[in-house]
Amino acid sequence: MSLRHYETMFILKPTLTDEEKAKNIENIQNAIKENGGEVAALDKIGVRELAYPINKFERGDYSIVYYKAPASAVLELERQMRYNEDLLRFMTVKYENKKEIKRWEEMVKNV
């Protein structure tokens, strides 16, 4: 089972308390770890204006988690994220070739 390089960007509701945001982020990291993945870095970008309203929200709290995981872990993570009502949107990117992996490592280092 080989670990591949991924990043998942997710947007939480801006109305959540700091404790609720921390709990959601912890749940996402635990889902990665429990399924054989390794979290490399977490980049909390903060509250930003959305390009368009989502569920009547004009703003969202952005975060990106960089990790290495098997494909099955990503499927389980996305399944859990789909059912989380505190998440407005999420997107996962897989880094495949050497050039992309090098860029992933640079981003992790800069977080």
Side-chain angles (χ1 to χ4, degrees):
M1 178 170 71
S2 66
L3 299 181
R4 298 204 168 106
H5 297 77
Y6 295 95
E7 83 174 41
T8 298
M9 188 275 307
F10 54 94
I11 306 171
L12 292 167
K13 291 179 179 177
T15 55
L16 299 176
T17 65
D18 290 340
E19 293 82 25
E20 291 171 324
K21 290 176 187 177
K23 184 67 175 164
N24 276 292
I25 291 170
E26 183 182 326
N27 288 341
I28 290 169
Q29 290 178 323
N30 287 340
I32 294 167
K33 292 173 189 172
E34 289 169 2
N35 290 288
E38 306 166 3
V39 176
L42 174 70
D43 188 6
K44 295 180 185 176
I45 298 169
V47 178
R48 301 284 166 118
E49 197 77 26
L50 297 172
Y52 54 89
I54 302 173
N55 298 340
K56 299 183 182 175
F57 288 102
E58 301 280 335
R59 300 171 69 75
D61 192 351
Y62 287 73
S63 295
I64 302 175
V65 63
Y66 298 94
Y67 58 99
K68 296 179 189 177
S72 59
V74 177
L75 292 173
E76 176 60 21
L77 173 66
E78 289 187 346
R79 185 192 70 77
Q80 290 180 19
M81 292 175 94
R82 240 179 254 113
Y83 294 113
N84 186 342
E85 293 182 6
D86 293 335
L87 283 171
L88 298 176
R89 288 282 187 274
F90 67 89
M91 181 178 75
T92 300
V93 178
K94 179 170 93 174
Y95 292 85
E96 297 188 72
N97 62 39
K98 289 180 184 177
K99 185 177 180 182
E100 291 174 343
I101 291 171
K102 184 179 180 191
R103 179 72 181 123
W104 181 90
E105 290 169 350
E106 289 174 9
M107 287 188 290
V108 167
K109 212 182 297 180
N110 292 332
V111 170

